[in-house]
């Protein structure tokens, strides 16, 4: 009698590959949708310019995924919001560090706030870019870079937390390493712990980084001392005995842990469906 055929077990790698293909299709659909709707968004922007306080009203009536991050103290500043955009982009985009190029792939987005003159900050435009990146474990996630807001004296809604996050990040850039000014870094970690026990301003979101953008972007390199050899950090990460410590440090200094979720809600819900929240 012929032996019964044996069905091989499904491997984790097969499931992960299938999930990756689903993600790639979803990302392509987001880009295609944005391209098809570009003219419609342009017409909508033209119409909304004739509606007073449109965007402040939309943010006041935003879904819980967004409103839960908005503190009462944020509302007067958001009342000065003149225009809001969430635009998809793909290809390569340069970061503020000329040596760092981010391969954006698909689904990356730049979120742009345009404000009227207000008592809180002098910026008329504040924008934050999010790059979709695949981690060494093949997970897709957003990474970003802290964005400075030019607060007016005594009007910092983050109580110095955003400025501190930007300062620590710039120090890391200057060293082209994960080296940190210890005092500044420890102060940031302390402030993050304190802020977790109370409400954090919506504007602290501009300090979100995600997994360390200094190390998760595959084209970020360093020069090995004494050799001049360029080393890819992602390649080295798998053999770095301190990688777990690095990941813990990334969590320690994250001032807005829900930053990725908020970016997705703003770009995939609030912006395209703004008329529904008016």
């Amino acid at each position: 009698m012929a032996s019964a055929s044996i069905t091989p077990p499904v491997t984790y790698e097969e499931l992960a590959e299938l999930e990756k293909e689903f993600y790639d299709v979803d990302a392509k659909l987001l880009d295609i949708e944005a391209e098809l709707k570009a003219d419609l968004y342009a017409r909508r922007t033209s119409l909304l310019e004739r509606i007073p306080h449109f965007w402040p009203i939309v943010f006041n009536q935003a879904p819980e995924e967004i409103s839960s991050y908005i503190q009462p103290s944020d509302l007067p500043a958001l009342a000065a919001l003149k225009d809001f955009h969430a635009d998809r982009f793909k290809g390569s985009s340069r970061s503020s560090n000329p040596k760092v190029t981010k391969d954006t792939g698909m689904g990356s987005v730049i979120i742009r706030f345009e404000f009227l003159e207000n008592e809180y900050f002098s910026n008329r435009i504040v924008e934050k870019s999010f790059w979709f990146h695949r981690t060494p474990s093949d997970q897709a996630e957003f990474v970003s870079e802290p964005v400075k807001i030019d607060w007016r004296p005594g009007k910092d809604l983050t109580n110095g937390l955003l400025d501190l996050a930007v300062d620590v990040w710039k120090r890391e850039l200057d060293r082209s390493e994960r080296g940190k000014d210890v005092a500044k870094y420890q102060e940031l970690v302390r402030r993050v712990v304190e802020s977790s026990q109370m409400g954090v301003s919506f504007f602290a979101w501009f300090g979100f980084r995600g997994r360390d953008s200094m190390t998760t972007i595959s084209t970020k390199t360093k020069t090995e001392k004494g050799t001049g050899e360029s080393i890819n950090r992602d390649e080295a990460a798998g053999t770095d005995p301190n990688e777990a410590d690095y990941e813990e440090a990334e969590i320690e200094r994250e001032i807005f842990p829900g930053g990725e979720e908020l970016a997705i809600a703003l770009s995939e819900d609030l912006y395209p469906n703004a008329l529904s929240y008016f």
Side-chain angles (χ1 to χ4, degrees), residues 33 66 83 202 224 236 271:
E33 181 183 17
I66 296 169
D83 201 2
F202 173 86
E224 185 177 19
Y271 180 66

Side-chain angles (χ1 to χ4, degrees), residues 55 59 81-86 111-113 266 270-271:
W55 286 109
F59 270 81
L81 187 60
K82 178 184 177 182
D83 201 2
F84 174 74
H85 288 271
I111 301 178
R112 183 176 187 268
F113 295 75
L266 290 170
L270 192 75
Y271 180 66

Side-chain angles (χ1 to χ4, degrees), residues 38 45 175 221:
T45 297
R175 299 184 183 193
T221 62

Side-chain angles (χ1 to χ4, degrees), residues 49-278:
E49 290 175 352
R50 294 153 49 189
I51 303 177
H53 314 298
F54 176 84
W55 286 109
I57 292 173
V58 168
F59 270 81
N60 279 336
Q61 300 180 161
E64 185 178 1
E65 291 82 0
I66 296 169
S67 64
S68 61
Y69 292 111
I70 299 175
Q71 304 299 321
S73 56
D74 296 323
L75 295 176
L78 287 173
L81 187 60
K82 178 184 177 182
D83 201 2
F84 174 74
H85 288 271
D87 298 321
R88 298 281 165 185
F89 66 91
K90 55 185 176 180
S92 293
S93 176
R94 304 293 292 189
S95 76
S96 56
N97 178 358
K99 294 182 179 180
V100 181
T101 300
K102 294 179 171 62
D103 182 7
T104 66
M106 298 168 292
S108 300
V109 64
I110 183 167
I111 301 178
R112 183 176 187 268
F113 295 75
E114 183 178 350
F115 291 92
L116 299 169
E117 180 75 17
N118 64 84
E119 63 177 292
Y120 292 93
F121 41 82
S122 59
N123 312 67
R124 290 302 184 91
I125 294 176
V126 186
E127 59 184 26
K128 187 169 178 64
S129 296
F130 291 83
W131 294 268
F132 253 129
H133 170 69
R134 284 200 173 280
T135 68
S137 60
D138 211 30
Q139 293 181 328
E141 58 186 29
F142 269 142
V143 294
S144 186
E145 296 177 347
V147 175
K148 180 176 175 56
I149 292 179
D150 298 321
W151 301 103
R152 300 190 189 279
K155 295 296 185 178
D156 184 349
L157 294 170
T158 72
N159 296 314
L161 187 59
L162 177 58
D163 284 348
L164 186 56
V166 171
D167 188 21
V168 168
W169 173 70
K170 284 184 176 180
R171 288 172 185 269
E172 293 179 8
L173 279 181
D174 290 342
R175 299 184 183 193
S176 299
E177 285 289 343
R178 282 183 177 265
K180 313 171 186 73
D181 177 281
V182 176
K184 284 286 186 181
Y185 184 81
Q186 289 179 341
E187 181 184 357
L188 177 59
V189 172
R190 178 181 62 80
R191 293 291 306 278
V192 167
V193 172
E194 290 177 353
S195 66
S196 68
Q197 300 171 1
M198 60 189 72
V200 179
S201 169
F202 173 86
F203 291 90
W205 172 75
F206 288 97
F208 169 78
R209 291 172 63 170
R211 276 180 56 108
D212 196 346
S213 56
M214 289 291 290
T215 59
T216 58
I217 303 305
S218 62
T219 52
K220 174 63 180 174
T221 62
K222 68 177 182 178
T223 301
E224 185 177 19
K225 185 176 180 181
T227 67
E229 180 183 357
S230 180
I231 300 175
N232 184 296
R233 273 210 160 90
D234 275 354
E235 293 174 356
T239 59
D240 191 334
N242 296 319
E243 185 175 6
D245 293 336
Y246 289 161
E247 291 182 356
E248 181 178 352
E250 289 161 3
I251 296 173
E252 285 181 342
R253 57 93 177 110
E254 183 58 74
I255 71 171
F256 205 98
E260 179 176 14
E261 290 77 10
L262 180 54
I264 291 173
L266 290 170
S267 61
E268 297 185 14
D269 185 4
L270 192 75
Y271 180 66
N273 302 315
L275 296 178
S276 300
Y277 296 114
F278 180 66

